[in-house]
Amino acid sequence: MRRLHFILLAGFSLFVAALPLRSAETIDVTTIAPGEEARLLPIAFSGFNGEAARVIRFDLEIAGFRIVPEDQAQYIITGRSSDPVEGSVTDRFSKSVLFSRRYSGSSIRSQAHAFSDDVVAAILKTPGISRTKIVFKNDTGRNSELMVADYDGHNAVQVTQDNSIVAAPTWVPGKRTLFYTSYKSSYPDIYSHDLNTGERRVIARYPGLNTSPAVSPDGRKVAMILSKDGSPDLYVSNIDGSELLQLTRTREDESAPCWSPDGKTICVVSRINEKRGLYVVPATGGKLTRLSTAGILNPTEPEWSPDGKKIVFTSQMGGFNICTIPAQGGQAEILAAGEDPSWAPNSRTVVFTRRIKNKRVLSLLDVHSKRVKDIAQISGSCSQPSWAK
């Protein structure tokens, strides 16, 4: 049975001597949907140059700002790029200085990210995301490995050496620990991987399919898809894999579970009555309830926003599109072409996968304006990103 699942799923596609990989390439590809530019906050930007200027501009544009001439801006961003980086923000209308600071850090890049986060906090009154991390799958041939990088794709580090197929990486909230599926033992099993110590543990190794781990917001439980009793069903266990509880018992397959921010509900994809849809179920067990995704067919890969207001997912209707619905279900909004969406901690930005010819690349999406920016890329195809929260 396990070998059968391996054959069917092989095409579906840590701290183990953390190896810095090929240097990332920055490709400045930015798109914005027609008519959405007005939703970006106008700022003027001067005094910075070189790497600091590139980093800050990228950070602020994906955060929801638009660089304009000073006479068209509400806020004036000024500074200098020498080590240490210095920067200030002034409200052009009130003439008040929101802040003026000098930064320290290991590199110009890290100092520039810190300044960007301060700008976001001062103007938008929300935490910045410039110093957050993502994990993703990197395919370089028949095998794939997991990589961890800064949110913009820089400083990518390979964190597995499974020499096999890996899939569905996700973070334990608030910790440097990953859960993911690996075919390292020739079968799809779920592992945890502590990035600080390198300790790796088997969480689920049942006959058949073990995949799609999703850790609860409090880090105490893990939802997963197992086929040990027949068709792939939704299960929940303690974080170490103990006390397994089966939540669904359908003839059809379930996939891609995610948790509500309060940890009380799980959203999962099911093919009940041969129609794929998004369903919610209490995390302690209960009835599956379908969520409306009006205007969209074949939803998959859901993820609840950290603020609990929206669910982002992929639709499959002739192509792949990133969409959102209200958390309680409703009219779906198409945001961009792509798949594999994952929310940033700010509940505004999404990292996702775009297909370019025969390669997959990672991009960032500002949900408010639908602006898309490609992150720095490495060789091979990159997919299935997950944002640390």
Side-chain angles (χ1 to χ4, degrees):
M1 176 67 75
R2 287 171 64 84
R3 184 164 297 279
L4 174 60
H5 279 289
F6 171 71
I7 293 171
L8 291 175
L9 295 165
F12 166 114
S13 3
L14 259 104
F15 205 126
V16 183
L19 302 173
L21 270 239
R22 309 156 286 281
S23 57
E25 175 190 1
T26 301
I27 15 186
D28 187 11
V29 177
T30 303
T31 62
I32 187 167
E36 298 293 340
E37 191 170 273
R39 304 189 69 176
L40 299 170
L41 188 61
I43 58 172
F45 180 75
S46 65
F48 298 98
N49 55 48
E51 183 179 36
R54 292 191 297 271
V55 169
I56 296 168
R57 179 182 287 269
F58 184 98
D59 292 344
L60 296 184
E61 287 185 341
I62 201 58
F65 295 99
R66 176 167 54 101
I67 311 298
V68 298
E70 187 170 317
D71 62 356
Q72 299 175 26
Q74 180 175 352
Y75 297 97
I76 311 299
I77 313 295
T78 59
R80 65 190 190 93
S81 303
S82 58
D83 191 356
V85 169
E86 296 180 13
S88 63
V89 179
T90 303
D91 186 317
R92 185 169 70 90
F93 299 137
S94 68
K95 308 301 182 183
S96 62
V97 177
L98 277 64
F99 72 87
S100 180
R101 284 179 201 134
R102 175 179 294 180
Y103 293 83
S104 61
S106 58
S107 66
I108 293 291
R109 174 171 290 276
S110 66
Q111 294 173 36
H113 281 319
F115 174 67
S116 299
D117 283 348
D118 284 348
V119 172
V120 171
I123 298 177
L124 299 182
K125 309 301 181 185
T126 59
I129 58 171
S130 300
R131 290 170 288 179
T132 56
K133 298 286 186 179
I134 58 172
V135 63
F136 56 92
K137 172 182 174 179
N138 179 235
D139 292 295
T140 55
R142 296 180 59 185
N143 295 333
S144 54
E145 302 290 355
L146 296 185
M147 304 200 58
V148 170
D150 297 344
Y151 96 109
D152 58 4
H154 286 270
N155 299 318
V157 173
Q158 181 179 318
V159 293
T160 61
Q161 291 181 322
D162 287 10
N163 297 311
S164 183
I165 297 171
V166 298
T170 191
W171 297 84
V172 176
K175 294 185 177 180
R176 284 177 49 82
T177 301
L178 304 175
F179 275 55
Y180 69 104
T181 295
S182 176
Y183 287 79
K184 182 177 177 64
S185 67
S186 297
Y187 306 109
D189 299 321
I190 295 174
Y191 295 84
S192 67
H193 194 119
D194 188 316
L195 297 177
N196 291 322
T197 67
E199 180 185 10
R200 182 157 69 170
R201 301 181 60 186
V202 175
I203 302 300
R205 181 175 279 166
Y206 297 100
L209 177 67
N210 305 272
T211 194
S212 299
V215 181
S216 62
D218 64 6
R220 299 174 62 185
K221 299 285 185 178
V222 57
M224 64 193 94
I225 302 298
L226 309 177
S227 65
K228 67 187 189 66
D229 295 315
S231 66
D233 277 305
L234 172 64
Y235 292 75
V236 169
S237 74
N238 292 333
I239 194 67
D240 61 0
S242 64
E243 298 186 21
L244 193 64
L245 172 66
Q246 186 172 358
L247 295 188
T248 66
R249 300 176 184 272
T250 68
R251 293 182 179 180
E252 298 79 13
D253 60 284
E254 274 75 64
S255 61
C258 68
W259 294 79
S260 62
D262 63 9
K264 296 180 179 180
T265 306
I266 296 173
C267 180
V268 68
V269 179
S270 184
R271 294 178 61 90
I272 296 175
N273 298 324
E274 298 302 318
K275 293 183 179 179
R276 185 185 290 119
L278 301 184
Y279 291 79
V280 291
V281 60
T284 54
K287 181 182 177 181
L288 276 173
T289 302
R290 185 161 187 163
L291 290 178
S292 171
T293 56
I296 291 297
L297 300 176
N298 296 319
T300 188
E301 302 175 337
E303 185 171 304
W304 226 299
S305 63
D307 64 9
K309 295 180 180 179
K310 294 183 178 182
I311 293 174
V312 68
F313 62 94
T314 300
S315 70
Q316 300 179 37
M317 297 192 304
F320 297 94
N321 286 295
I322 305 299
C323 307
T324 58
I325 54 169
Q328 68 273 17
Q331 183 66 42
E333 180 180 12
I334 298 176
L335 301 175
E339 56 196 302
D340 303 336
S342 178
W343 287 103
N346 64 2
S347 297
R348 172 171 178 152
T349 315
V350 167
V351 62
F352 70 104
T353 304
R354 293 198 309 122
R355 299 190 185 207
I356 302 177
K357 297 182 179 179
N358 295 323
K359 182 178 179 179
R360 290 181 172 93
V361 302
L362 301 184
S363 300
L364 300 176
L365 166 68
D366 175 39
V367 171
H368 290 195
S369 66
K370 302 182 182 179
R371 169 183 265 163
V372 172
K373 293 179 74 69
D374 285 351
I375 70 173
Q377 307 294 327
I378 62 172
S379 61
S381 287
C382 299
S383 62
Q384 300 182 9
S386 176
W387 214 310
K389 300 177 181 67

